[in-house]
């Protein structure tokens, strides 16, 4: 009954919000379909013009993006891929930021057709971490070398905003050896402005809400109307409310596989443009989760819109060209070989060594726990193994959280990014936090590869910024001395 009372109250709140929210929706099925139709068959010249514009690094309009999305010429696709790769190198360099998801609770009042945690799915056992279990999960993650988490909650009275604040404070307080978690991002249901303010007070990093699909007709099919998630507009403006509450790093995403991937790329672009228009800053990151199998969840394997690998690559590529200063997150949902390919096309953040079952890190040796996980991951390699691959591919892994701790968030981060400073400020921080990882957690093989990676990047940095490189070298030797 308390669950029912909570649910009724929240539903009434959302209904009242819908009636009072004056902002017009920034997406509509008809408008996005019209853009795609208008640019249905682009000429070579048109594609090339859009690519030149993308290289100016000021982003693209929905019409420009539709030109790329609708291109059918394989030769031109090769050019589009190359442009995205160039943009990624220009803005982000070789740096790849690492994080892990931490599933804290799975009980959920919603019934999303694609999710293993949905209310009506009695084949997946729902679980909420106790304080002791939470601490054990955090320690397990710290012991692997993680510094950044995204915490994940089901929507339920037992995981309301009080619970979220308590658990986040617990995470920040855990110390294990020389490590701790330095940035906690959140992926949870849309909240009220007042609730977001509470989360800001406990020092969260980014707040992430995935729209799942920007196609209203599909949204209604996936999310029953009488559930909290049934309100498209409550979710559509979730991140606007977060911004109003002062959370200036917000993150968007679409669940690829529910509807046409081209439509979703444009939906994400409209969302980014609307946040930028209203708050002067677009989303901090864009996520591109793709539908994965989940126990007793037939839609995950039968959806007619499941996205082929090649199309998935195209989606990331067009996003990279369209919003050059927004990070793109790729997750362990994807298999190792594809992750490798997609990273080169524009990804700046990835998770590694991840589990999607609540309590999954305490049982790390089990790659899959089907009756407890939200969906099945395709990349279950350890963080250390994955870092070795990144080094061999020429990237520099970063655990840096300094930008956020020194107030380089929201607009500040964006203007910083737009001046091309990510490569110069973030590189030394990547080197230092990676060195920390190598000293404290790496296997001998990864340490060896990692030291070579660091040496190469420091050398390159010294050619560009000799004075700052001296300081960096000095700091590295202090770390070797135990600091
Ligand atoms: N319950 C909150 C919500 O739905 O906003 C927050 C977390 S939900 C556990 C995290 C995300 O997982 C969802 O937004 C959805 O995009 C993604 N997801 C759900 N089912 C999935 C599946 N079968 N495959 C891949 N991703 C999935
Ligand atoms: Fe609940 Fe989120 Fe899963 Fe929907 S996606 S059933 S809201 S946990």
């Amino acid at each position: 009954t308390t669950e029912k009372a909570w649910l009724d109250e929240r539903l009434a709140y959302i209904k009242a919000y819908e009636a009072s929210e004056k902002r017009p929706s920034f997406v509509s099925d008809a408008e996005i379909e019209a853009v795609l139709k208008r640019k249905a068959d682009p000429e070579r010249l048109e594609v090339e013009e859009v690519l030149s514009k993308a290289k100016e690094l000021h982003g693209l309009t929905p019409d420009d993006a539709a030109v790329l999305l609708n291109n059918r010429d394989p030769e031109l696709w090769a050019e589009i891929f190359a442009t995205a790769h160039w943009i990624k190198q220009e803005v982000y360099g070789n740096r790849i930021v690492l994080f892990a998801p931490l599933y804290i609770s799975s009980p959920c009042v919603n019934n999303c057709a694609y999710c293993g945690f949905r209310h009506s799915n009695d084949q997946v056992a729902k679980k909420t971490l106790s304080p002791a279990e939470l601490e054990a999960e955090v320690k397990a993650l710290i012991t692997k070398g993680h510094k950044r988490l995204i915490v994940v909650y089901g929507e339920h009275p037992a995981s309301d905003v009080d619970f979220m604040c308590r658990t986040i404070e617990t995470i920040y307080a855990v110390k294990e050896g020389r490590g701790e978690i330095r940035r906690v991002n959140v992926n949870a249901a849309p909240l009220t402005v007042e609730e977001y303010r509470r989360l800001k007070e406990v020092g969260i990093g980014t707040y992430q809400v995935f729209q799942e699909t920007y196609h209203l007709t599909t949204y209604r099919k996936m999310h029953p109307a009488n559930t909290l998630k049934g309100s498209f507009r409550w979710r559509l403006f979730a991140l606007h409310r977060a911004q109003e509450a002062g959370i200036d790093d917000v993150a968007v995403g679409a669940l690829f596989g529910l509807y046409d991937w081209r439509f979703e790329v444009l939906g994400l672009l409209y969302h980014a443009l609307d946040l930028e228009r209203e708050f002067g800053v677009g989303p901090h990151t864009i996520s591109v989760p793709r539908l994965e199998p989940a126990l007793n969840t037939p839609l995950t394997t039968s959806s007619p819109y499941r996205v082929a690998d090649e199309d998935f690559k195209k989606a990331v590529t067009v996003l990279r060209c369209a919003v050059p200063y927004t990070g793109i997150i790729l997750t362990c949902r994807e298999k190792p070989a594809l992750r490798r390919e997609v990273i080169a096309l524009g990804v700046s953040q990835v998770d590694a060594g991840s589990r999607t079952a609540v309590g999954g890190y305490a049982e790390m040796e089990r790659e899959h726990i089907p009756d407890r996980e939200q969906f099945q991951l395709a990349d279950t390699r350890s963080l250390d193994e994955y870092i070795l691959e990144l080094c061999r591919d020429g990237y520099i892994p970063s655990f840096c959280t300094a930008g956020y701790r020194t107030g380089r968030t929201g607009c500040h981060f964006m203007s910083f990014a737009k001046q091309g400073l990510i490569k110069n400020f973030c590189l030394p921080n990547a080197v230092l936090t990676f060195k920390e990882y190598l000293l404290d957690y790496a296997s001998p093989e990864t340490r060896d590869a990692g030291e070579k990676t660091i040496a190469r990047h420091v050398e390159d940095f010294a050619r560009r910024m000799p004075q700052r490189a001296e300081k960096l070298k000095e700091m590295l030797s202090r770390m070797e001395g135990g600091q």
Side-chain angles (χ1 to χ4, degrees), residues 174-341:
V174 174
K175 300 272 180 280
E176 179 70 2
R178 296 209 281 187
E180 77 264 293
I181 297 300
R182 298 176 185 160
R183 175 167 173 135
V184 179
N185 299 329
V186 178
N187 183 319
L191 301 178
T192 68
V193 174
E194 210 30 66
E195 289 168 337
Y196 284 126
R197 284 206 185 99
R198 303 263 322 274
L199 285 175
K200 176 154 173 88
E201 276 166 23
V202 298
I204 65 160
T206 312
Y207 200 89
Q208 202 177 58
V209 174
F210 301 158
Q211 187 62 27
E212 319 299 7
T213 173
Y214 287 90
H215 190 248
L216 179 61
T217 316
T218 304
Y219 190 93
R220 291 196 171 133
K221 284 186 203 149
M222 299 295 151
H223 309 101
N226 58 347
T227 60
L228 299 181
K229 201 152 162 182
S231 169
F232 184 79
R233 281 167 61 78
W234 173 246
R235 202 165 179 92
L236 196 63
F237 293 114
L239 299 173
H240 291 63
R241 293 194 301 279
Q243 280 279 4
E244 282 167 21
I247 296 178
D248 56 2
D249 276 352
V250 298
V252 301
L255 181 54
F256 282 82
L258 302 181
Y259 188 61
D260 177 24
W261 63 274
R262 294 182 177 89
F263 187 103
E264 305 298 10
V265 168
L266 289 185
L268 288 165
L269 178 55
Y270 275 97
H271 201 162
L273 292 171
D274 201 71
L275 286 166
E276 182 149 9
R277 182 192 57 75
E278 187 161 342
F279 301 102
V281 50
H284 188 64
T285 54
I286 295 182
S287 293
V288 289
R290 198 160 55 146
L291 204 53
E292 296 297 330
L295 185 69
N296 189 32
T297 309
L299 181 95
T300 57
T301 44
S302 70
S303 167
Y305 293 104
R306 277 181 313 144
V307 181
D309 289 357
E310 206 50 31
D311 291 339
F312 184 66
K313 279 163 44 185
K314 291 176 179 171
V316 172
T317 298
V318 175
L319 285 168
R320 181 68 305 144
C321 294
V323 277
Y325 295 107
T326 296
I328 296 183
I329 299 182
L330 181 75
T331 68
C332 290
R333 288 177 180 86
E334 306 305 333
K335 33 186 194 302
L338 187 71
R339 260 166 63 104
R340 246 177 129 182
E341 273 189 80

Side-chain angles (χ1 to χ4, degrees), residues 106 108-112 114-119 153-155 212 223 229 235 374:
S106 53
C108 188
V109 294
N110 294 309
N111 246 329
C112 312
Y114 44 79
C115 179
F117 290 163
R118 72 188 181 287
H119 188 74
Y153 304 88
E155 187 163 22
E212 319 299 7
H223 309 101
K229 201 152 162 182
R235 202 165 179 92
Q374 190 194 7

Side-chain angles (χ1 to χ4, degrees), residues 88-89 92-96 394-397 423 427 456-457:
K88 173 192 150 69
Q89 289 306 121
Y92 299 90
N94 288 333
R95 183 178 138 272
I96 297 284
Y395 297 107
I396 170 122
K423 280 200 294 193
L427 180 83
R456 217 174 43 248
H457 283 86

Side-chain angles (χ1 to χ4, degrees), residues 30-50:
E31 184 178 337
I32 296 186
E33 302 285 11
V35 175
L36 283 169
K37 209 165 158 193
R38 199 158 56 233
K39 301 289 176 189
D41 202 7
E43 304 273 332
R44 167 175 275 271
L45 192 65
E46 216 176 346
V47 174
E48 279 172 348
E49 274 171 12
V50 172

